[in-house]
Amino acid sequence: FFFQAEDGIRDYKVTGVQTCALPILKRLPYAFQKGETMPVIIVDIDGTLLNGSSGIKKTIDYVNSQKATHDIYIVSGRNKSEDAATRAALAKNGVSYNRLYLNPSSTSETLVHKKIIAQKLLTREHVVLAIDNNENMRRMYESLGIKAVSPTQL
């Protein structure tokens, strides 16, 4: 983020051209300060991206349209034992994402699982949005300072 410019100073004791590095940005963009590449959008699966194994087109289209400027992290209450089937369903429906976080516990612990993941992400990422069909999950994200919307609001 610097460029080199000739300063035009000449002195009989100096050989060659004097140069100096001049900053062209006052400060680095937020993403580079934090060591990340892009802001993050958290997305749920069931009732948000998929109904069973069928895609919800409106949400998928929105998420895929954001992929160029955001990292997409899928945070789901689905159990880790469903990893292969979940990845296959997401691929079949053309969902683009960067990371997939599945629940290591029972689905009754979904809120706890999502809260723990969101809290961890907030320590190292710039999370700008959460998309979840469940009102309790949206309230939890909002309580952490993350804007949360229902898929119907996209």
Side-chain angles (χ1 to χ4, degrees), residues 32-64:
F32 291 104
Q33 290 177 22
K34 291 294 197 181
E36 64 182 287
T37 55
M38 291 188 269
V40 171
I41 296 175
I42 294 173
V43 188
D44 178 46
I45 296 176
D46 296 301
T48 301
L49 285 169
L50 304 175
N51 275 329
S53 62
S54 299
I56 300 172
K57 184 174 176 15
K58 181 179 177 182
T59 310
I60 293 170
D61 288 348
Y62 176 81
V63 167
N64 289 346

Side-chain angles (χ1 to χ4, degrees), residues 1-5 19-28:
F1 294 45
F2 293 89
F3 71 93
Q4 215 170 16
T19 60
C20 62
L22 301 172
I24 58 175
L25 288 178
K26 286 187 177 182
R27 59 188 277 247
L28 291 172

Side-chain angles (χ1 to χ4, degrees), residues 8-99:
I9 298 172
R10 295 284 189 262
D11 189 292
Y12 73 94
K13 296 177 189 168
V14 177
T15 59
V17 175
Q18 295 267 282
T19 60
C20 62
L22 301 172
I24 58 175
L25 288 178
K26 286 187 177 182
R27 59 188 277 247
L28 291 172
Y30 179 83
F32 291 104
Q33 290 177 22
K34 291 294 197 181
E36 64 182 287
T37 55
M38 291 188 269
V40 171
I41 296 175
I42 294 173
V43 188
D44 178 46
I45 296 176
D46 296 301
T48 301
L49 285 169
L50 304 175
N51 275 329
S53 62
S54 299
I56 300 172
K57 184 174 176 15
K58 181 179 177 182
T59 310
I60 293 170
D61 288 348
Y62 176 81
V63 167
N64 289 346
S65 76
Q66 298 301 303
K67 186 71 174 76
T69 56
H70 295 78
D71 282 336
I72 307 299
Y73 292 179
I74 297 174
V75 181
S76 174
R78 286 187 181 196
N79 191 275
K80 279 191 175 198
S81 65
E82 298 178 57
D83 185 83
T86 298
R87 289 179 189 276
L90 292 168
K92 175 185 144 206
N93 287 284
V95 179
S96 294
Y97 62 96
N98 299 88
R99 293 189 184 164

Side-chain angles (χ1 to χ4, degrees), residues 99-111:
R99 293 189 184 164
L100 174 63
Y101 295 93
L102 297 179
N103 195 342
S105 304
S106 71
T107 55
S108 66
E109 301 295 324
T110 295
L111 187 124

Side-chain angles (χ1 to χ4, degrees), residues 102-144:
L102 297 179
N103 195 342
S105 304
S106 71
T107 55
S108 66
E109 301 295 324
T110 295
L111 187 124
V112 172
H113 161 69
K114 288 185 176 186
K115 185 173 185 175
I116 289 169
I117 297 298
Q119 288 172 324
K120 286 180 182 178
L121 290 175
L122 285 169
T123 65
R124 64 180 188 265
E125 305 281 359
H126 181 50
V127 181
V128 296
L129 181 65
I131 306 168
D132 200 302
N133 68 308
N134 184 300
E135 184 178 344
N136 291 329
M137 302 304 161
R138 291 193 306 273
R139 276 198 293 258
M140 176 272 299
Y141 286 124
E142 294 277 353
S143 76
L144 297 175

